[in-house]
Amino acid sequence: MRILTAAQLRALDQATIRAEKITSGELMERAAKAFTKAFTRHFPDPERPVVVVCGTGNNGGDGLVVARRLKSRNYKVSVIQANIGTRSADNQDNFKRLKGQGIEVRQLTQGDPWPAIAPEAVVVDALFGTGLGRPVAGYWAELIDYLNALPNFRVAVDLPSGLSSDGPQEGPCVHADLTLCLGLPKLALFAPANTQLLGNWELVTFPLADPDRLHPEVGGGPAYQATLNDASELGGLLKKRYANDHKGTFGHAFLVAGAFGTMGAAVIAGRAVLRAGAGLLTCHIPRSGYEIMQISFPEAMCKVDTHRYHSTEIGDLGAYDSIGIGPGIGQEALTVEAVRSVLSRYERPMVIDADAINIIAAHPELLKLIPKNSLLTPHPKEFARLFGETEHDFARWQVQREVAKRNGLVIVLKTGFTSIATPGGELYFNPTGNPGMGTAGTGDALTGVLTGLLAQGYDPVTAARLGVYLHGLAGDLAAEELSQEFLLAEDVVSHLGQAYRKLRE
Ligand SMILES: NC(=O)C1=CN([C@@H]2O[C@H](COP(=O)(O)OP(=O)(O)OC[C@H]3O[C@@H](n4cnc5c(N)ncnc54)[C@H](OP(=O)(O)O)[C@@H]3O)[C@@H](O)[C@H]2O)[C@@H](O)CC1
Ligand SMILES: Nc1ncnc2c1ncn2[C@@H]1O[C@H](COP(=O)(O)OP(=O)(O)O)[C@@H](O)[C@H]1O
Ligand SMILES: [K+]
């Protein structure tokens, strides 16, 4: 599913209107109908009052249609009409259509005292959407502050009013508890900095033209901001397994992980390699980790380093279909040389995580040695160590895209909505995962999943898109069963089976 800019979304609306021979009012009706359906799912009790706060653009127009539709379902709905500017045509039309419906409308003009809103009412925020042209200021900014100070539950239509859809946030913004985003996702939904403003968000879909079929008209194609990974596409990318396949078919993975005190990273990542479906796994570990590994994880084969506490000399790599390197390996001088040696000798795409990333950040000349199309999986701090600090999320995505392209790498930036930048210049976002995964070792599990997918012959971009999705879905299934608080990295790994099953459905 494409992620479009506000300008591209406007063009897509026009293209939809032309292609389907409908009016803009009919498109607004579609959007508001879909919103109303989602809203009534969240708030099934029509006795709970709903106050729709509408602006004068099409976001406000949506709000007016929502009010009319809620009223027809017997909801106790009223409207606060903020007279911000000139009404759009569809806003005007829907304002007229409110008449005679028995809906109370309170007008709000600059300077008016704030309207009283009963504390139990759900506030529907329809002041501004993607048409926001500048930061909100003056009286209307104060209205936003007033709404934010109320104890009411706030549901945003399309976007919380005041939110910049395509760039860093400027100015005041409604703090939504729930955002029901209309049609296609906007980039702002994925920015960690916007989490508090958006509340939980959901995409509310309704029939719109396919932006890919229209891309010269919509100004998209390669210029589309990004893509949101979805199950329907990813499920189709899973490889089939045939009756006579065997462990050789599914690849032999090699994992360089663990050191004295961090052998758990090797155990978690290793388990994830095999649970993701690789045929064989060899782990390179320091001598002191040998018993730990063999006892806690008998399915893995071990190559033992000459050093007791760290990995220092890594042997022949020719036999392996994929390599994962980094979890828990530390940054000792001898380990730095071991990483350098692996990067120089291995020619196929590999997975580079954690301390291997920190080592590369401290020795930038190593970046050039990374085999093309390898996957790097930094969390935001590791990303900053590698590629520098950025001012905001949007600038970081830009850097992520540039470094992926320039270095021919797949960069997996691990956040709530993990982003994947490819050597071809695309940016993908992942929808699965939950805050319960903010627990030690879940990143190691991801390294294992990705290494396991590469071993099975998935191309690196597909491995990244599938692996991040499956890892997050496993975390969601585990959290559903066990609660977010209870979750361990181990639980993510042990729910990979259900995640595969669900994705194949
Ligand atoms: N396919 C879909 O998903 C569909 C989506 N639709 C909906 O359309 C929405 C976009 O509507 P939109 O383009 O009319 O813009 P909107 O957000 O209402 O704001 C514009 C108004 O605000 C004003 N204004 C702007 N900035 C301001 C500021 N800082 N301070 C004060 N005023 C400011 C601006 O005035 P001006 O800048 O001209 O002074 C204008 O009056 C979109 O979010 C979705 O809800 C559907 O209806 C159709 C299908
Ligand atoms: N709020 C969240 N929503 C979705 N995924 C999350 C969230 N918090 C953490 N994760 C996921 O958990 C993993 C954490 O990885 P990382 O930070 O490397 O942890 P560790 O180093 O402890 O293994 C990443 O895949 C990240 O995307
Ligand atoms: K809004």
Side-chain angles (χ1 to χ4, degrees), residues 13 28 57-59 62 84 128-136 158 182:
D13 283 353
M28 181 177 281
N58 288 339
N59 193 249
D62 286 346
I84 301 172
F128 307 107
T130 53
L132 190 80
R134 57 199 174 279
V136 188
D158 203 15
L182 298 175

Side-chain angles (χ1 to χ4, degrees), residues 295-461:
I295 293 168
S296 58
F297 186 25
E299 292 86 353
M301 294 176 278
C302 291
K303 280 248 164 96
V304 181
D305 202 275
T306 50
H307 199 286
R308 189 164 171 75
Y309 301 126
H310 310 284
S311 285
T312 61
E313 271 178 70
I314 294 158
D316 188 24
L317 304 173
Y320 305 118
D321 298 297
S322 72
I323 295 181
I325 187 167
I329 60 173
Q331 298 180 56
E332 292 294 315
L334 290 172
T335 306
V336 172
E337 291 321 305
V339 168
R340 188 191 303 274
S341 150
V342 170
L343 296 182
S344 336
R345 286 183 292 136
Y346 196 65
E347 287 176 353
R348 274 176 278 174
M350 54 195 284
V351 182
I352 299 168
D353 183 35
D355 281 327
I357 291 180
N358 292 327
I359 285 174
I360 294 168
H363 304 269
E365 76 282 3
L366 296 185
L367 197 61
K368 292 193 298 289
L369 300 179
I370 302 176
K372 287 284 166 265
N373 298 308
S374 287
L375 281 61
L376 259 75
T377 59
H379 57 54
K381 275 196 181 145
E382 291 163 347
F383 185 90
R385 281 182 211 129
L386 261 181
F387 303 120
E389 296 283 349
T390 42
E391 257 180 59
H392 47 74
D393 299 320
F394 296 81
R396 189 169 61 193
W397 289 324
Q398 196 54 38
V399 171
Q400 185 189 0
R401 224 194 256 265
E402 280 163 18
V403 292
K405 218 172 156 179
R406 184 164 2 106
N407 298 293
L409 298 172
V410 181
I411 311 257
V412 177
L413 172 60
K414 296 181 291 190
T415 59
F417 295 96
T418 292
S419 51
I420 300 164
T422 73
E426 295 108 338
L427 189 66
Y428 294 98
F429 284 91
N430 179 64
T432 58
N434 64 80
M437 296 173 74
T439 179
T442 50
D444 306 330
L446 179 65
T447 298
V449 171
L450 298 173
T451 307
L453 290 171
L454 282 184
Q456 290 168 78
Y458 286 97
D459 72 81
V461 172

Side-chain angles (χ1 to χ4, degrees), residues 59 125-129 156-157 159-161:
N59 193 249
D125 157 38
L127 283 167
F128 307 107
V157 177
L159 291 174
S161 295

Side-chain angles (χ1 to χ4, degrees), residues 47-127:
E47 291 302 315
R48 183 164 179 186
V50 180
V51 177
V52 190
V53 188
C54 299
T56 38
N58 288 339
N59 193 249
D62 286 346
L64 296 170
V65 180
V66 167
R68 169 161 49 79
R69 286 186 163 266
L70 286 176
K71 183 71 188 178
S72 75
R73 293 181 175 215
N74 297 317
Y75 274 71
K76 288 197 160 49
V77 58
S78 68
V79 167
I80 293 174
Q81 173 65 66
N83 295 309
I84 301 172
T86 318
R87 274 183 198 283
S88 71
D90 291 321
N91 184 304
Q92 179 126 30
D93 189 37
N94 282 300
F95 189 70
K96 283 187 197 143
R97 290 180 68 184
L98 276 192
K99 291 237 168 72
Q101 306 277 334
I103 300 174
E104 184 200 1
V105 179
R106 287 178 282 172
Q107 299 280 346
L108 191 67
T109 303
Q110 274 207 43
D112 283 350
W114 303 127
I117 297 177
E120 72 279 15
V122 181
V123 170
V124 174
D125 157 38
L127 283 167

